[in-house]
Amino acid sequence: MQILDGKLVSAAIKAQLAEKVAEIKLTGKKVPHLAAILVGNDPASETYVASKVKSCAEIGYNSTLLRFDAQISEKHLLDNITSLNENADIDGILVQLPLPKHINEELVINTIDPSKDVDGFHPVNVGKMVSGLPTFIPATPYGIMLMLEHYNIATKGKHAVVIGRSHIVGTPMSILLSRNSYPGNCTVTLCHSNTANLTEICLQADIIIAAIGRPNFVTANMVKEGAVIVDVGINRVEDASKKSGFRLVGDVKYDEVAPKCSYISPVPGGVGPMTIAALLKNTYHASLGQKVHMN
């Protein structure tokens, strides 16, 4: 069993991007600039945004963090996004989700200029991804593809089972893994909470992408020997032994599943760092007026 070490792969990608930014600075060209919007003070969102801003600083990007009270009006938020769209110095825009219930997330995402949508959530970019056109790939699926590529995971002709059908992870993963490319050329089964015979389907999988958002959902009896497991879940479970009162676990019951795997990603330290690395790559491409080509 080998660990899919997201921290290691992310560090390698950041190092490559830092070299490119250093070259940009030497030639006097524009440095990539990411703008992040944080609404409210959700602890998880605070942590994620802080990691993104810190990563920008580490590799030489410029970043702008706009913080708003949870009571911000939808109009005020949309006006700020429009201002970022019109600001030529801003290359990438991300709005940290989830948003307060009184704000329409779909409307917020649709307001972001598709050419600055480095999260890859805008319908224009989603449509291009489905069509196999160059675009911004959603950061978590893009990060997973980069990790599979780094570890030279065999995907051609393999059966990949994706558990979870969200537009952020599950559905894009099913599309990307079925592409005539590497990583890709998989036969993909997209499963969800209402899938019948889920255990039997998972037992056929050479690759499992667990993104259902349920702690320890994938157990050893669902995994065949030698399978590759990518755990996307980040779930907080109570743990009195921790100062915070909780610990993070994935969607996979790691201790019992890991011994059966050829590769497995841990939580934390697996997909999480790769999501940030992919976001940084999208921002770099945005600064050059490019799109990611993965089909």
Side-chain angles (χ1 to χ4, degrees):
M1 186 272 291
Q2 186 172 347
I3 299 293
L4 296 172
D5 190 337
K7 290 182 179 178
L8 184 150
V9 183
S10 175
I13 291 171
K14 286 180 181 178
Q16 293 170 356
L17 290 171
E19 287 183 10
K20 291 178 179 179
V21 173
E23 292 174 7
I24 289 171
K25 289 181 176 179
L26 283 174
T27 58
K29 294 180 181 177
K30 183 185 175 304
V31 172
H33 189 163
L34 175 67
I37 293 177
L38 178 61
V39 180
N41 54 3
D42 175 75
S45 293
E46 292 266 8
T47 299
Y48 297 150
V49 171
S51 295
K52 292 166 184 175
V53 171
K54 180 182 177 184
S55 294
C56 284
E58 287 174 350
I59 64 174
Y61 284 14
N62 292 328
S63 67
T64 298
L65 173 58
L66 301 180
R67 303 180 65 107
F68 298 106
D69 185 88
Q71 307 308 315
I72 185 176
S73 71
E74 184 176 88
K75 182 181 184 304
H76 187 39
L77 180 59
L78 295 178
D79 287 345
N80 275 273
I81 293 172
T82 299
S83 294
L84 294 174
N85 286 340
E86 296 170 351
N87 186 340
D89 190 55
I90 301 294
D91 301 302
I93 302 170
L94 72 88
V95 178
Q96 186 63 43
L97 304 178
L99 293 169
K101 296 188 185 303
H102 69 281
I103 296 177
N104 184 327
E105 288 188 359
E106 182 180 355
L107 181 58
V108 168
I109 291 168
N110 290 355
T111 301
I112 299 171
D113 183 336
S115 69
K116 298 187 178 187
D117 169 40
V118 289
D119 261 335
F121 295 160
H122 194 285
V124 167
N125 290 327
V126 173
K128 287 182 177 180
M129 179 194 66
V130 172
S131 300
L133 299 173
T135 189
F136 295 122
I137 308 296
T140 297
Y142 186 23
I144 292 170
M145 297 293 279
L146 291 170
M147 185 161 63
L148 294 175
E149 183 179 34
H150 179 90
Y151 282 96
N152 296 312
I153 302 297
T155 58
K156 185 177 181 180
K158 302 297 184 181
H159 184 190
V161 171
V162 180
I163 310 174
R165 54 185 165 181
S166 76
H167 70 280
I168 295 174
V169 181
T171 298
M173 278 307 313
S174 68
I175 294 166
L176 294 171
L177 286 172
S178 66
R179 286 270 185 266
N180 182 18
S181 64
Y182 177 76
N185 276 308
C186 292
T187 297
V188 182
T189 303
L190 180 61
C191 300
H192 46 78
S193 57
N194 291 312
T195 298
N197 304 317
L198 181 57
T199 295
E200 289 80 359
I201 293 170
C202 288
L203 282 170
Q204 300 171 29
D206 303 299
I207 301 167
I208 294 178
I209 311 293
I212 198 168
R214 297 187 183 181
N216 300 317
F217 180 82
V218 177
T219 51
N221 67 310
M222 300 170 68
V223 178
K224 74 176 183 181
E225 292 287 340
V228 175
I229 307 291
V230 178
D231 191 349
V232 185
I234 302 177
N235 309 288
R236 295 187 178 202
V237 298
E238 292 184 3
D239 187 341
S241 68
K242 301 290 185 181
K243 185 177 180 181
S244 62
F246 67 87
R247 60 188 170 89
L248 295 178
V249 300
D251 289 354
V252 177
K253 200 165 186 179
Y254 185 89
D255 289 346
E256 69 173 50
V257 170
K260 299 185 73 173
C261 301
S262 55
Y263 294 87
I264 186 169
S265 68
V267 176
V271 173
M274 293 306 304
T275 297
I276 294 176
L279 177 73
L280 295 172
K281 281 182 73 75
N282 275 344
T283 302
Y284 175 76
H285 288 296
S287 74
L288 299 178
Q290 300 175 340
K291 302 292 172 65
V292 177
H293 198 282
M294 186 171 284
N295 71 344

Coordinates of all heavy atoms in Angstrom, one line a residue, residues 17-18 21 25 31-34 55-63 279-285:
L17 N 5.2 26.5 -9.9 CA 4.6 27.8 -10.2 C 5.4 28.9 -9.6 O 5.5 30.0 -10.2 CB 3.2 27.8 -9.5 CG 2.1 26.9 -10.1 CD1 0.9 26.8 -9.2 CD2 1.8 27.4 -11.5
A18 N 6.1 28.7 -8.5 CA 7.0 29.7 -7.9 C 8.1 30.1 -8.9 O 8.5 31.3 -9.0 CB 7.6 29.3 -6.6
V21 N 6.6 32.2 -11.6 CA 6.3 33.6 -11.1 C 7.6 34.4 -11.0 O 7.7 35.6 -11.4 CB 5.6 33.6 -9.8 CG1 5.5 35.0 -9.2 CG2 4.2 32.9 -9.9
K25 N 8.4 37.9 -12.9 CA 8.9 39.2 -12.2 C 10.2 39.7 -12.8 O 10.3 40.9 -12.9 CB 9.1 38.9 -10.7 CG 7.8 38.7 -9.9 CD 8.0 38.4 -8.5 CE 6.7 38.3 -7.7 NZ 6.9 38.0 -6.3
V31 N 2.1 39.9 -12.4 CA 2.1 38.7 -11.5 C 0.6 38.2 -11.3 O -0.3 39.1 -11.2 CB 2.7 39.1 -10.1 CG1 2.5 38.0 -9.1 CG2 4.1 39.4 -10.3
P32 N 0.4 36.9 -11.3 CA -1.0 36.4 -11.1 C -1.6 37.0 -9.8 O -0.9 37.1 -8.8 CB -0.8 34.9 -11.0 CG 0.4 34.6 -11.8 CD 1.3 35.8 -11.5
H33 N -2.9 37.3 -9.9 CA -3.6 38.0 -8.7 C -4.9 37.3 -8.5 O -5.8 37.2 -9.4 CB -3.8 39.5 -9.0 CG -4.3 40.3 -7.9 ND1 -4.2 41.6 -7.8 CD2 -4.9 39.9 -6.7 CE1 -4.7 42.1 -6.7 NE2 -5.1 41.0 -6.0
L34 N -5.1 36.7 -7.3 CA -6.3 36.0 -6.9 C -7.1 36.8 -5.9 O -6.5 37.3 -4.9 CB -5.9 34.6 -6.3 CG -7.1 33.8 -5.8 CD1 -8.0 33.3 -6.9 CD2 -6.6 32.6 -5.0
S55 N -0.9 30.3 0.5 CA -0.3 29.6 -0.6 C 0.1 30.6 -1.7 O 1.1 30.5 -2.3 CB -1.2 28.5 -1.2 OG -1.4 27.5 -0.3
C56 N -0.8 31.6 -1.9 CA -0.5 32.7 -2.9 C 0.8 33.4 -2.5 O 1.7 33.6 -3.3 CB -1.6 33.7 -3.0 SG -3.1 33.1 -3.9
A57 N 0.9 33.7 -1.2 CA 2.1 34.4 -0.8 C 3.4 33.6 -0.9 O 4.4 34.1 -1.3 CB 1.9 34.8 0.7
E58 N 3.2 32.3 -0.7 CA 4.4 31.4 -0.7 C 5.0 31.3 -2.1 O 6.2 31.2 -2.3 CB 4.0 30.0 -0.3 CG 3.7 29.8 1.2 CD 3.2 28.5 1.6 OE1 2.8 27.7 0.6 OE2 3.1 28.1 2.8
I59 N 4.2 31.4 -3.2 CA 4.7 31.2 -4.5 C 4.8 32.6 -5.3 O 5.2 32.6 -6.4 CB 3.8 30.2 -5.3 CG1 2.4 30.8 -5.5 CG2 3.8 28.9 -4.6 CD1 1.6 29.9 -6.5
G60 N 4.5 33.7 -4.6 CA 4.7 35.0 -5.2 C 3.5 35.6 -5.9 O 3.7 36.6 -6.6
Y61 N 2.3 35.0 -5.8 CA 1.1 35.6 -6.3 C 0.7 36.8 -5.5 O 1.0 36.9 -4.3 CB 0.0 34.6 -6.3 CG -0.1 33.5 -7.3 CD1 1.0 33.2 -8.1 CD2 -1.2 32.8 -7.5 CE1 1.0 32.2 -9.0 CE2 -1.3 31.7 -8.4 CZ -0.2 31.4 -9.1 OH -0.2 30.4 -10.1
N62 N 0.0 37.7 -6.1 CA -0.7 38.7 -5.3 C -2.1 38.2 -4.9 O -2.7 37.4 -5.7 CB -0.9 40.0 -6.1 CG 0.4 40.7 -6.4 OD1 1.3 40.7 -5.6 ND2 0.5 41.4 -7.6
S63 N -2.6 38.5 -3.8 CA -3.9 38.1 -3.4 C -4.7 39.2 -2.7 O -4.1 40.0 -2.0 CB -3.9 36.8 -2.5 OG -3.3 37.1 -1.3
L279 N -6.2 25.1 -7.8 CA -6.7 26.5 -7.8 C -5.6 27.4 -8.3 O -5.8 28.4 -9.1 CB -7.2 26.9 -6.5 CG -7.7 28.3 -6.3 CD1 -9.1 28.5 -7.0 CD2 -7.9 28.7 -4.8
L280 N -4.4 27.2 -7.7 CA -3.3 28.1 -8.1 C -2.9 27.9 -9.6 O -2.5 28.9 -10.2 CB -2.1 27.7 -7.2 CG -2.2 28.0 -5.7 CD1 -1.1 27.5 -4.9 CD2 -2.4 29.5 -5.4
K281 N -3.0 26.7 -10.1 CA -2.7 26.4 -11.5 C -3.7 27.1 -12.4 O -3.4 27.7 -13.4 CB -2.6 24.9 -11.8 CG -1.3 24.2 -11.4 CD -1.3 22.8 -11.7 CE -1.2 22.5 -13.2 NZ 0.2 22.7 -13.7
N282 N -5.0 27.0 -12.0 CA -6.1 27.7 -12.7 C -5.8 29.2 -12.7 O -6.0 29.9 -13.8 CB -7.4 27.4 -12.1 CG -8.0 26.1 -12.6 OD1 -7.6 25.6 -13.6 ND2 -9.1 25.7 -11.9
T283 N -5.4 29.8 -11.6 CA -5.1 31.2 -11.5 C -4.0 31.6 -12.4 O -4.0 32.7 -13.1 CB -4.9 31.6 -10.1 OG1 -6.0 31.2 -9.3 CG2 -4.6 33.1 -9.9
Y284 N -2.9 30.8 -12.5 CA -1.8 31.0 -13.3 C -2.3 31.1 -14.8 O -1.9 32.0 -15.6 CB -0.7 30.0 -13.1 CG 0.4 30.1 -14.1 CD1 1.4 31.1 -13.9 CD2 0.6 29.3 -15.2 CE1 2.5 31.2 -14.8 CE2 1.6 29.4 -16.1 CZ 2.6 30.4 -15.9 OH 3.6 30.5 -16.8
H285 N -3.0 30.1 -15.2 CA -3.5 30.0 -16.6 C -4.4 31.2 -16.9 O -4.4 31.8 -18.0 CB -4.3 28.7 -16.8 CG -3.4 27.5 -16.9 ND1 -2.5 27.3 -17.9 CD2 -3.4 26.4 -16.1 CE1 -1.9 26.2 -17.7 NE2 -2.4 25.6 -16.6

